[in-house]
Amino acid sequence: MGDFLQTEPALDWRAVAAVIDHTLLAPDTAAGEIEQLCREAAHFGFAAVAIQPGWVALAASLLHDTPVRVCAAIGFPHGATTTSVKRFEAAEALRLGADELDMVMNIGALKSGDRERVQADIAGVAEVTRAGGGILKVILETSRLTNEEKAVACQIAVAAGADFVKTSTGYADGGATVEDVALMRKVVGNRAGVKASGGIRSAAQVAALLRAGADRIGSSASVGIMGELGAR
């Protein structure tokens, strides 16, 4: 982690912006809101915009001359679609201009103890992602898992070829916690990144999650966080 994480007053808004996925996943999102999201991402220098696959082409066209990446949600928000459907969705998102994919793990399969099915599901999407030159993040939905299940999910995701493990969709009862991020970092070590998402609305939360081991932050309150940090 950089020096800007050592004490909260030292947080530099540019360094924080560079690890934020500026997120808009609501089902009633309109085109104008995606355009605004992309303008904000380019202005502040966010890492990516995180959106539904149906908006990828628009976002990619708006951001093609910027460093901002386009991240598409796959199997969202429940993770219960079949692997073949997730693979097709992933391939289509990459074809339309996505650089990163945030896929939801098959939560029910994990809770059933079917590790092989969970790993095959992630590996199938990882294969498509690699072929398309993208980055794959796997959403665990930590609020629905025990600590043991969180650790197992991280191990499976890394073994299946995920680039990141991610806490939450933002559509469950709970979101990112410092404790979950620390656990995930401990399990994956330096083999994968950790993305914290779900309910992150303040600079103080961002600072705590980064200190706990997060490499990337997903938030729909990114602009407000930038304002807290003095960005213009």
Side-chain angles (χ1 to χ4, degrees):
M1 301 300 174
D3 291 341
F4 68 95
L5 302 179
Q6 299 307 308
T7 58
E8 196 171 315
L11 282 169
D12 176 77
W13 71 264
R14 293 175 183 82
V16 174
V19 299
I20 287 180
D21 289 356
H22 192 30
T23 304
L24 184 55
L25 294 164
D28 58 348
T29 298
E33 293 173 287
I34 295 295
E35 292 167 358
Q36 178 66 20
L37 187 84
C38 292
R39 284 194 294 270
E40 292 166 349
H43 174 74
F44 290 109
F46 292 135
V49 292
I51 55 177
Q52 297 279 11
W55 293 117
V56 164
L58 174 60
S61 69
L62 294 169
L63 293 169
H64 73 281
D65 284 334
T66 78
V68 181
R69 299 168 70 84
V70 176
C71 174
I74 303 297
F76 194 87
H78 302 305
T81 50
T82 62
T83 302
S84 60
V85 170
K86 288 180 182 177
R87 282 172 58 90
F88 179 84
E89 189 176 25
E92 185 74 351
L94 291 163
R95 183 185 70 80
L96 291 170
D99 306 291
E100 303 183 356
L101 305 175
D102 283 15
M103 73 165 283
V104 187
M105 178 189 69
N106 190 321
I107 303 161
L110 182 79
K111 295 193 76 70
S112 300
D114 194 346
R115 298 187 184 194
E116 290 185 5
R117 182 177 178 187
V118 176
Q119 184 163 334
D121 187 54
I122 297 170
V125 178
E127 180 184 32
V128 171
T129 308
R130 282 194 300 273
I135 289 173
L136 178 64
K137 310 187 202 90
V138 176
I139 305 171
L140 311 185
E141 202 67 283
T142 48
S143 67
R144 299 188 184 276
L145 306 179
T146 66
N147 283 345
E148 181 181 357
E149 288 168 339
K150 294 166 196 173
V152 169
C154 286
Q155 292 164 356
I156 291 172
V158 171
D163 299 294
F164 282 76
V165 289
K166 176 180 169 182
T167 57
S168 319
T169 61
Y171 283 79
D173 295 336
T177 68
V178 166
E179 293 78 14
D180 283 344
V181 168
L183 172 63
M184 292 162 68
R185 171 54 66 200
K186 181 178 179 181
V187 174
V188 303
N190 60 4
R191 298 175 295 163
V194 175
K195 177 176 172 179
S197 63
I200 304 171
R201 308 195 65 81
S202 72
Q205 283 177 288
V206 170
L209 292 163
L210 290 172
R211 291 190 188 102
D215 303 291
R216 194 79 73 88
I217 300 290
S219 178
S220 59
S222 317
V223 173
I225 291 168
M226 289 293 100
E228 281 190 68
L229 296 174
R232 293 181 299 277

